[in-house]
Amino acid sequence: MIAWRRHLHRHPEVSFHEHETSAFVAQTLGELGVEVSRPTETSVLGRLAGTEPGPVVALRADIDALPITEESGVEFAPERPGAMHACGHDGHTAMLLGAAATLAAEGVPRGEVRFIFQHGEELAPGGARELIAAGVMEGVDFVYGCHLWTPLEYGKVAAVPGDWMAAADFFELRVTGRGGHAGLPHTAVDTVACAAELVGALQHIVSRRLDPLAAAVVTVGSFHAGDAPNVIPGEAVLRGTARSFDPDVRALIPKLIEEIGHGVCAAHRADFELDFVYGYAPVVNDAAAVELVRSVAAEELADLAPIMGGDDFSAYLAEAPGCYAFIGAGGAFPHHHPRFVIDERALAIGTRMHVDVARKVLG
Ligand SMILES: [Zn+2]
Ligand SMILES: [Zn+2]
């Protein structure tokens, strides 16, 4: 599994471009004796079916990388800049391949195990909804997935009922003014100064407008305006993400962005346009499914509070009861960081969890 993981790590592909990755997964599954199909161009579905009828359990791994240039210094770093497995999805892929190898070797007497190798988790609207539209969840009784998690120490597993990961929505704000000479600002409408004020003002959504006990995040992660030090640009574009759990809070955030955006821009004579896209629903784990998962991780169970990261595993949970667990992979740098590394010993734990959850559901 470490060899598989390092091969994938050396050849990362960003969301919706996982051509070599999915070909590698399909070939490996085929060699293991797993029935392989390709629900979309860059995803893979594996099936092991028993001769007797029984429950259908789906196990999911996401396979995509991020548009980051790696700085970790590991010997199996990518050959090309611009893509990196900085979230651990290379490990997820290797763990699910490991589970497929184990279950293929011992055989599935009854029911069915489905191995979902999902493309495009890191980019909304995400690959999960395409796979569901392609029918991968038809007849599924139980769905399980896991994320390697470096803030959690190696050897620990977290499976938590209820709200677990936040809704992840995305927005783009376009501030338009009037370009001009940087030395004559009174003849222009300065979009940089206006948009800079808007970035700060948006933080009032969480700190002043929402109930302090309601979890929410508004992050502007991208600010683009201008190319020259002596030119006032006519346009500034901000892009960001909003996170929440409560459906009312989720619906309120775009209204507040709109209100604050119009207010700030009106004060500075600029125009404002908001494009808000609802991304992933919150990941809410089924209580009974969590109990089943916890029962096969008795030794390693850890307490972990819900996080405001999002994952389109929520789309599967809308189709069948299930659980999204976190596997401790202890490391110094956060997910999505150019120096992100995982503790590879965690692969064995994640694989065993996949296998034991499948065995337990199949009885
Ligand atoms: Zn990620
Ligand atoms: Zn991830």
Side-chain angles (χ1 to χ4, degrees), residues 150-181:
T150 59
L152 186 63
E153 65 181 297
Y154 162 72
K156 299 290 183 193
V157 171
V160 176
D163 285 350
W164 177 233
M165 297 179 78
D169 302 321
F170 297 88
F171 58 83
E172 183 176 289
L173 308 174
R174 195 168 291 274
V175 176
T176 47
R178 192 167 61 242
H181 195 295

Side-chain angles (χ1 to χ4, degrees), residues 178-192:
R178 192 167 61 242
H181 195 295
L184 306 166
H186 58 294
T187 64
V189 173
D190 186 350
T191 55
V192 172

Side-chain angles (χ1 to χ4, degrees), residues 25 29 34-39 44-48 57 59 100 112-117:
V25 168
L29 285 177
V34 176
E35 184 191 321
V36 178
S37 62
R38 304 294 299 266
V44 185
L45 181 68
R47 288 178 73 237
L48 283 172
V57 56
L59 308 174
E112 182 187 325
V113 184
R114 267 180 222 168
F115 305 92
I116 300 173
F117 291 89

Side-chain angles (χ1 to χ4, degrees), residues 62 87 89 121-122 147:
D62 41 15
C87 202
H89 299 187
E121 188 283 321
E122 295 282 8
H147 206 298

Side-chain angles (χ1 to χ4, degrees), residues 64-351:
D64 55 329
L66 287 154
I68 295 173
T69 296
E70 179 147 357
E71 296 170 10
S72 73
V74 297
E75 68 200 29
F76 47 92
E79 290 158 358
R80 290 186 297 263
M84 174 188 176
H85 274 292
C87 202
H89 299 187
D90 49 344
H92 301 173
T93 309
M95 292 191 296
L96 194 54
L97 285 172
T102 308
L103 291 165
E106 73 182 26
V108 172
R110 60 193 284 266
E112 182 187 325
V113 184
R114 267 180 222 168
F115 305 92
I116 300 173
F117 291 89
Q118 183 207 310
H119 61 304
E121 188 283 321
E122 295 282 8
L123 188 63
R129 65 172 73 180
E130 290 183 358
L131 290 181
I132 291 162
V136 304
M137 287 296 286
E138 275 166 27
V140 170
D141 298 294
F142 191 101
V143 61
Y144 170 77
C146 62
H147 206 298
L148 292 165
W149 195 239
T150 59
L152 186 63
E153 65 181 297
Y154 162 72
K156 299 290 183 193
V157 171
V160 176
D163 285 350
W164 177 233
M165 297 179 78
D169 302 321
F170 297 88
F171 58 83
E172 183 176 289
L173 308 174
R174 195 168 291 274
V175 176
T176 47
R178 192 167 61 242
H181 195 295
L184 306 166
H186 58 294
T187 64
V189 173
D190 186 350
T191 55
V192 172
C194 180
E197 197 169 310
L198 183 50
V199 172
L202 289 173
Q203 294 312 317
H204 284 244
I205 292 173
V206 173
S207 67
R208 303 286 86 183
R209 299 295 300 273
L210 297 174
D211 184 331
L213 295 178
V217 174
V218 176
T219 292
V220 174
S222 164
F223 186 137
H224 281 273
D227 298 300
N230 58 350
V231 177
I232 291 173
E235 182 178 271
V237 178
L238 306 177
R239 292 186 299 138
T241 180
R243 306 294 169 97
S244 59
F245 279 106
D246 183 275
D248 293 337
V249 169
R250 191 180 186 194
L252 188 56
I253 288 173
K255 294 189 177 74
L256 294 175
I257 294 176
E258 186 87 37
E259 193 179 309
I260 291 168
H262 276 299
V264 170
C265 289
H268 303 300
R269 298 178 300 147
D271 288 317
F272 170 84
E273 208 178 300
L274 168 66
D275 183 19
F276 192 93
V277 178
Y278 285 100
Y280 305 158
V283 173
V284 183
N285 284 330
D286 178 79
V290 167
E291 278 316 304
L292 185 147
V293 171
R294 289 174 72 95
S295 75
V296 302
E299 301 290 299
E300 297 119 335
L301 283 179
D303 284 328
L304 207 60
I307 64 160
M308 302 307 282
D311 198 296
D312 66 352
F313 192 80
S314 54
Y316 304 105
L317 291 172
E319 303 294 313
C323 172
Y324 198 46
F326 274 25
I327 310 290
F333 292 94
H335 290 251
H336 294 200
H337 191 283
R339 293 176 70 185
F340 175 80
V341 289
I342 59 165
D343 186 332
E344 288 179 325
R345 293 176 299 167
L347 300 180
I349 294 178
T351 302

